[in-house]
Amino acid sequence: IHLMQQNIGDHERMTGYLRKSDSTAKYLLSLVNDILDMSKLQSDKMVLVPKPFSVDELVSTTESLMRSRMEDKEIDFRVETSIICSNLIGDDMRIEQILVNILGNAVKFTPKGGRVIMRVLQSAEGERILTTYQVEDTGCGMSPETGRHIFEKFYQGDNSRAREGNGLGLSIVRRIVELHSGVIVYKSELGKGTVCTLTEPGNRW
Ligand code: ADP
């Protein structure tokens, strides 16, 4: 902002400074949100707000939130769904937060020209619907040692570009998944890519 004040008439410089200040503001916002979420979780103040929502809408909102970041890195972003009941009861804002986080890591750790697939699959278990969200990337993958620690607070693997994260994302994700009585599992191979599978039970409405 200081540089903008000094270069107000220089369109080209202003465009560059605006782009930088936009990404810095987004980074700061996500940092503040992560810190707030973490302190809510630590004082048991995070509560889910279950309400009727549409899985189809959740998928398309998440897709559009992520699409431009994928395009910036020329990543082939695919969405595959097999939904038997779109009308579920749950905290869709928190599920969206989880997906954006996992997909954000997938973009971050996948080089230009790679591929990311988001799958949403369902199966019925009596009255309950099990929804599986899966994110697969062709990124750098992680070592078994990194894989053992990814859900720990402030942990960043040695593949991590520390400037772009804070190591809080997946520890928050796991705690929210547990609040939903869900399960999250990562499978990864160094140099090959990563698959994150998250299963959550839900009721129809
Ligand atoms: P951050 O992304 O801020 O570093 P996270 O808690 O989101 O923190 O992730 C923790 C670590 O897990 C990352 O630093 C990285 O080492 C590893 N990781 C997470 N997702 C992926 C992925 N899709 N591919 C490779 N490594 C990953």
Side-chain angles (χ1 to χ4, degrees):
I1 288 168
H2 178 69
L3 287 170
M4 280 190 228
Q5 283 167 338
Q6 291 176 338
N7 294 278
I8 203 115
D10 185 334
H11 186 263
E12 199 175 321
R13 283 193 180 183
M14 283 295 277
T15 310
Y17 295 146
L18 273 172
R19 194 176 335 109
K20 281 184 193 147
S21 82
D22 181 62
S23 74
T24 311
K26 282 184 183 140
Y27 172 72
L28 269 178
L29 184 63
S30 75
L31 186 63
V32 172
N33 281 334
D34 279 354
I35 293 168
L36 279 174
D37 278 349
M38 188 45 82
S39 61
K40 265 192 216 160
L41 283 163
Q42 277 175 336
S43 47
D44 288 322
K45 290 277 160 42
M46 166 110 40
V47 281
L48 298 179
V49 188
K51 60 174 178 32
F53 75 99
S54 149
V55 180
D56 286 325
E57 268 173 38
L58 170 69
V59 172
S60 75
T61 316
T62 310
E63 180 181 357
S64 51
L65 280 174
M66 299 306 299
R67 180 66 63 196
S68 69
R69 279 179 71 188
M70 300 280 179
E71 281 171 1
D72 286 347
K73 274 187 94 177
E74 290 164 31
I75 288 175
D76 174 11
F77 180 36
R78 302 181 193 178
V79 178
E80 299 172 1
T81 57
S82 174
I83 291 166
I84 50 178
C85 174
S86 177
N87 297 341
L88 292 185
I89 296 176
D91 190 335
D92 57 334
M93 294 312 291
R94 290 293 178 190
I95 303 175
E96 185 185 293
Q97 177 185 358
I98 291 170
L99 291 175
V100 166
N101 212 306
I102 295 168
L103 286 161
N105 279 341
V107 191
K108 189 159 69 174
F109 294 105
T110 300
K112 211 171 166 179
R115 191 183 63 230
V116 172
I117 308 175
M118 171 169 73
R119 298 191 184 89
V120 183
L121 316 165
Q122 284 184 327
S123 60
E125 239 183 29
E127 267 310 285
R128 292 214 304 180
I129 300 284
L130 273 186
T131 307
T132 299
Y133 304 90
Q134 190 171 66
V135 175
E136 182 179 322
D137 68 59
T138 58
C140 62
M142 54 183 118
S143 64
E145 176 58 18
T146 295
R148 272 190 281 282
H149 299 285
I150 53 172
F151 294 116
E152 290 168 14
K153 250 182 292 169
F154 299 113
Y155 178 84
Q156 295 197 284
D158 43 18
N159 59 0
S160 168
R161 296 160 52 209
R163 250 166 27 102
E164 276 190 47
N166 53 40
L168 284 175
L170 290 186
S171 59
I172 294 171
V173 162
R174 181 148 88 174
R175 299 282 297 276
I176 300 177
V177 170
E178 285 168 356
L179 285 177
H180 276 98
S181 311
V183 179
I184 179 164
V185 181
Y186 267 82
K187 277 198 179 154
S188 186
E189 205 178 321
L190 211 51
K192 295 242 165 98
T194 301
V195 183
C196 169
T197 307
L198 156 67
T199 306
E200 295 212 344
N203 289 317
R204 308 162 192 258
W205 55 275

